[in-house]
Amino acid sequence: MLTYPMIHSSDIIGLGLHRLNQTQEPGSQMIKPNISVLYPQYNTSNKYVHDLMLIKLSEPAVISGTVKPIRMSSECPDFGTSCLLSGWVALSQGSHPDILECVDTVVFSPGILREVYTFTRFYKMFFAYSDRYNGSFYREYGGPLVCNGELQGIHVAGSLHNLYKLDLHINICRYKNWIEKIMKTY
């Protein structure tokens, strides 16, 4: 499982859940993590940079109508690519809705990333924009961004640009070699 680094060994991972406050739903599975591997350059003081973790589950997930593997993109996204972001989006009051949200987004110009962040450390990231939520995924870390049926990004932050209200994503194509190496190792 590929995610944002916020899961601990004592956590139980819910796969295939549609409601935030449920532990069991038809087709869902609750599985403990076995091994967690942080990206080697991950550093908690370096916000958003290399925020990536692979988790080996303690038992294999059962493929079902709600739990399916997804192919990783081998190409980086082009400006204007339409994507789908899922998660339990934070509402303006700071609470979360109970039902999983899926939002249409568009990959934004890489020039905006350089405008917002002058640091070269962000070259492994990209922005996406949604008319519907305007960067309100700001408290939903680790949500998958799927473009053309492939995993393209992992959501790490939202509302980072005052004018555009953009969501920031880890660019999976930049980490593919590391991901494949870890998957072969474990």
Side-chain angles (χ1 to χ4, degrees), residues 13-168:
I13 298 167
L15 303 175
L17 292 172
H18 187 242
R19 300 184 81 81
L20 184 61
N21 296 316
Q22 296 291 320
T23 57
Q24 286 297 321
E25 294 181 46
S28 70
Q29 300 161 56
M30 304 302 285
I31 303 175
K32 289 189 68 117
N34 183 27
I35 298 169
S36 301
V37 182
L38 287 169
Y39 186 74
Q41 282 82 42
Y42 172 74
N43 182 336
T44 56
S45 64
N46 214 350
K47 203 170 189 181
Y48 310 130
V49 180
H50 308 303
D51 283 0
L52 201 58
M53 180 169 69
L54 271 167
I55 298 172
K56 182 176 182 179
L57 301 174
S58 60
E59 61 188 79
V62 176
I63 306 304
S64 70
T66 59
V67 177
K68 298 177 184 174
I70 188 165
R71 181 182 162 120
M72 281 188 301
S73 179
S74 58
E75 303 285 322
C76 291
D78 292 324
F79 168 62
T81 300
S82 294
C83 304
L84 188 66
L85 176 62
S86 355
W88 287 274
V89 61
L91 302 172
S92 58
Q93 306 91 333
S95 63
H96 291 272
D98 187 45
I99 297 174
L100 181 69
E101 297 283 336
C102 292
V103 178
D104 291 319
T105 64
V106 176
V107 174
F108 220 74
S109 167
I112 295 297
L113 186 60
R114 287 189 292 276
E115 179 184 318
V116 176
Y117 296 107
T118 57
F119 316 107
T120 56
R121 64 187 180 162
F122 287 97
Y123 79 98
K124 291 188 175 189
M125 308 180 103
F126 67 94
F127 277 126
Y129 173 79
S130 169
D131 284 331
R132 184 170 170 204
Y133 280 107
N134 267 340
S136 61
F137 271 74
Y138 70 99
R139 288 195 181 129
E140 177 54 36
Y141 309 116
L145 184 76
V146 176
C147 309
N148 302 316
E150 297 180 327
L151 181 63
Q152 189 71 67
I154 299 291
H155 184 261
V156 294
S159 297
L160 293 176
H161 190 281
N162 292 334
L163 178 59
Y164 301 109
K165 302 295 184 194
L166 303 168
D167 289 304
L168 186 63

Side-chain angles (χ1 to χ4, degrees), residues 161-179:
H161 190 281
N162 292 334
L163 178 59
Y164 301 109
K165 302 295 184 194
L166 303 168
D167 289 304
L168 186 63
H169 305 275
I170 293 287
N171 204 345
I172 295 302
C173 70
R174 305 269 190 219
Y175 294 89
K176 190 167 182 178
N177 290 339
W178 175 77
I179 293 167

